[in-house]
Each structure stands twice: as C-alpha cells, then as structure tokens.
C-alpha cells in the first residue's frame, strides 16, 4: 500500500514537468494550454483503472495541499502598491467589470440555483474564476468542499466559453467596442511599479516554497488551535491574508520564482483533482450549468459595456480589463497586442492581479450570502 502512495505522489509531481516540456517544445500543446493538458492527463489516469480506488483520500489530501501551497506563491508577487498609482479610468473600468460579474452570478443563481443542491458553491466559484482565474476557482473549491467531478466540469465549460469569448473579442468585439466607446490615447494609463529583473536561482525557489509551507502550517495550526480540526474556509482566508501582507515586503515581492512555483503546484492540483473525477457523472449537471456560465461570461460583458458607456470609458480599456477578469492576467498582453495598444498592459495586469487577490474573499462571501437566500 505504501508503494502505491509513493508512486502516485511521484506521478502527480512529475507530470507538470512533462507538460512544461510539451508546451515549450510543440506549438499544438502551447495552443492547447498547460491547464487543459493537466486535466486531460488526470482524467485519463483516473478513468482507465490506473489508480486504485482505495487511494481516493490520499488524492483528496494531495490536491488540497497542492492548492494551499499555490495560493501564497502566486500572491507573493501581487503589486498591491500599484493600486495606489492606478489612474481613475482604470479603477472605474475595473469596478464596472467586478460589479458586472457579481450581478450576473447572483442573478444566474436565482434562475438556476434550484436545479442542483449546493448551487451556492458553484456561484462562489464562478465569482472567483471570473475575478481572478483558475487559482481562485481551485481555492474556493477546496474551501467549500466541492466534488471533484463538479470542479472539473465547471473548469471545462469555463475553458470552452472563455475561448468563444476571446474569439469574439479578437474578431467583431475589437471593432464594435472601439466604435461604440472610442479608443484610448497612446499614453500610459497606469504609473505602476516598473517590471523587475527576477532571480530564478534554485535558492530563490526554495525560499519561496519554504515561506509558503510556513504560511500553510501556521494557518492549519491555528485552525487546530481554534476549531480542533482543519477548517478549510478559515485556512484559505488566513493564507490569502498573510500572503498579501508578505507581498508588501520588497524582497519577497521581487522573487519572480514564486509565480513559477505557484503555477507548478496549480498543475499538480489540476492533475490530482482531475484524476478523482468520474466522467460517467459529467452529464448529470451539464445543460443548465453550461447556460449558467454563458450567462455570466457574456452577460457580464454586456453590463460592463453599459457601465463604460455611462462613465465614458474607452473601448480598448474595457476589453483589456474584461479579459483580465474573465480570462486572467496572462491574457492581457494578448488582447493588448490585438487592439494595438500595449500601453494598456500594465493597467490590465494590475487590475487582474488585484482581482485575483480579492477573488477568494468575494467568492466565498457571495456563496454564503446566496446560501442564506
């Protein structure tokens, strides 16, 4: 039995390196994306009889620890101070996108919330993923104890709809929104912190991971102290808060290895949680869940457009901000290049990272509010 645990752990920890190799070497895998590959590999491993069924508890623990380590690693490099330098239009546009996501998630819950038990958890996860990205989705899934099958299905639909959303922006959207709202002048909209040259030595990775381990241990330890057990909701919020506070320390914030290490653990989590998913159960919630996500993605885009029209915000700024929230910060340079205004990159990255930083709080809070309703 022990050898099974060791082999499975090695499998989970090794697959991300293989994914990195494939993505960096071959265009087809680069276009597919590392997260998608992780889910495919995990689902295949879990549904072809490769993993013994009596290892489910180990899989659950392994995936949970992975995402807990990923949270501080990704938050260490968030530029909180950049918010203080963000100009008015960027902040207004960010606020509009945030309000649009919350309104569509809440209204969608009122429409489809009765169709599945614990739909309030799904709503909380949608707020997380559409204000930050997959790490928020994973964090809230762990905090609210969402079934692996549901998580994988939700993320699969998110990737599908996000692809359609990006295709629309890259084609018709970039013409329509600029025509309706106008285009920003070619100057800097954000006076944020300058991009630093990061040190990626092995010691920097070890330092980042060590700090993350300490934060997770502290959160889990205090949870035992206060509750007598690991209360995942408490642990997630403590980790998020401590990590954001530590991001204010220049030496920690300037260690770019943290982001790479954080994404590695997100891939570990993705493989592990996908390997727990039973694909035979996917059809149970598929139709209405897909409609719910489509409502949020495209409904929030429409509300964001109306917000920008009211406050006279430019179309290219709206698109960059929307992509930062709906698809996560890494897509910001892509859309900025498509609309030929790279001066918007810093502002888009800033609001995207802020959205990621607050996504756990917003998602968990809205989930509990909707549960009461």
């Amino acid at each position: 039995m022990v050898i099974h645990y060791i082999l499975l752990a090695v499998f989970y920890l090794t697959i991300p390196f293989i994914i990195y190799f494939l993505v960096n070497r071959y265009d087809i895998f680069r276009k597919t994306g590392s997260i998608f590959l992780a889910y495919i590999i995990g689902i295949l491993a879990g549904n072809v009889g490769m993993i013994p069924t009596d290892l489910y508890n180990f899989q659950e623990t392994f995936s949970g620890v992975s995402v807990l380590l990923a949270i501080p690693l990704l938050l260490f490099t968030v530029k909180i101070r950049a918010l203080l330098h963000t100009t008015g239009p960027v902040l207004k546009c960010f606020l509009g996108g945030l309000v649009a996501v919350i309104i569509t998630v809440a209204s969608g819950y009122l429409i489809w919330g009765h169709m599945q038990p614990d739909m309030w958890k799904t709503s909380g996860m949608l707020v997380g993923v559409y204000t930050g990205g997959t790490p928020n989705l994973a964090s809230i899934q762990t905090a609210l104890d969402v079934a692996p099958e549901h998580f994988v299905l939700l993320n699969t639909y998110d990737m599908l709809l996000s692809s359609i959303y990006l295709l629309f922006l890259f084609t018709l959207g970039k013409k329509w929104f600029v025509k309706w709202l106008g285009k920003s002048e070619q100057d800097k909209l954000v006076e944020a912190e300058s991009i630093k040259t990061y040190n990626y030595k092995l010691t920097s990775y070890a330092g980042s991971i060590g700090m993350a381990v300490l934060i997770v241990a502290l959160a889990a330890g205090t949870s035992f102290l206060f509750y007598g057990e690991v209360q995942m909701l408490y642990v997630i919020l403590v980790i998020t808060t401590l990590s954001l506070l530590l991001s204010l320390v220049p030496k920690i914030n300037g260690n770019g290895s943290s982001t790479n290490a954080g994404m590695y653990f997100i891939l570990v989590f993705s493989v592990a949680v996908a390997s727990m998913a039973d694909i035979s159960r996917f059809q149970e919630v598929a139709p209405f869940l897909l409609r719910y996500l489509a409502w949020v993605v495209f409904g929030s885009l429409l509300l964001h457009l109306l917000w920008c029209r009211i406050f006279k915000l430019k179309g290219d700024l709206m698109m960059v901000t929307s992509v930062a929230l709906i698809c996560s910060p890494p897509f910001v340079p892509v859309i900025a290049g498509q609309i030929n205004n790279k001066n918007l990159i810093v502002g888009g990255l800033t609001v995207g990272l802020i959205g990621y930083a607050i996504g756990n709080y917003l998602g968990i809070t809205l989930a509990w509010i909707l549960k009461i309703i």
Side-chain angles (χ1 to χ4, degrees), residues 35-36 39-40 43 130 137 149-163 282 290 293:
I35 297 292
F36 182 76
Y39 284 126
I40 292 298
I43 289 174
Y130 293 132
L137 185 71
E149 295 87 359
H150 191 66
F151 172 83
V152 173
L153 182 63
L154 195 67
N155 200 262
T156 300
Y157 282 163
D158 167 53
M159 287 187 282
L160 171 64
L161 290 169
S162 295
S163 298
F282 276 12
L290 182 60
L293 266 71

Side-chain angles (χ1 to χ4, degrees), residues 160-349:
L160 171 64
L161 290 169
S162 295
S163 298
I164 297 173
Y165 160 86
L166 284 173
L167 180 62
F168 169 71
L169 288 188
F170 290 165
T171 55
L172 298 175
K174 67 179 182 180
K175 297 179 182 179
W176 290 354
F177 295 145
V178 169
K179 182 178 179 180
W180 293 336
L181 301 174
K183 189 173 183 179
S184 305
E185 296 180 3
Q186 294 290 321
D187 57 3
K188 292 184 179 180
L189 291 175
V190 178
E191 295 296 333
E193 298 177 6
S194 60
I195 299 175
K196 300 176 181 178
T197 301
Y198 291 127
N199 181 359
Y200 294 103
K201 291 182 179 179
L202 184 60
T203 53
S204 66
Y205 281 101
S208 298
I209 294 174
M211 186 69 69
V213 170
L214 287 175
I215 290 176
V216 172
L218 179 61
T222 55
S223 178
F224 268 111
L225 181 63
F226 296 141
Y227 300 101
E229 61 180 357
V230 175
Q231 287 280 352
M232 196 56 69
L233 176 60
Y234 167 85
V235 170
I236 291 286
L237 293 178
V238 169
I239 290 174
T240 301
T241 302
L242 291 178
S243 301
L244 288 174
L245 290 174
L246 285 174
S247 73
L248 297 172
V249 179
K251 188 173 182 179
I252 295 176
N253 188 252
N255 186 356
S257 301
S258 298
T259 301
N260 290 339
M263 287 311 301
Y264 167 79
F265 282 109
I266 285 295
L267 288 178
V268 171
F269 165 81
S270 299
V271 176
V273 76
S275 71
M276 299 164 62
D278 181 358
I279 59 176
S280 65
R281 298 178 58 187
F282 276 12
Q283 291 300 319
E284 295 180 11
V285 295
F288 76 88
L289 190 60
L290 182 60
R291 289 193 291 270
Y292 188 8
L293 266 71
W295 172 272
V296 175
V297 171
F298 296 103
S300 64
L301 182 64
L302 177 60
L303 289 179
H304 199 185
L305 172 64
L306 294 175
W307 175 283
C308 293
R309 183 74 176 182
I310 293 171
F311 290 97
K312 299 180 180 179
L313 301 170
K314 301 301 182 182
D316 50 356
L317 175 59
M318 176 224 161
M319 284 185 283
V320 168
T321 306
S322 179
V323 165
L325 295 173
I326 299 297
C327 295
S328 77
F331 288 90
V332 168
V334 179
I335 188 65
Q338 285 287 323
I339 61 180
N340 195 29
N341 191 350
K342 295 183 178 180
N343 287 327
L344 294 172
I345 291 178
V346 178
L349 290 174

Side-chain angles (χ1 to χ4, degrees), residues 344-359:
L344 294 172
I345 291 178
V346 178
L349 290 174
T350 300
V351 299
L353 290 173
I354 294 170
Y356 168 60
I358 66 176

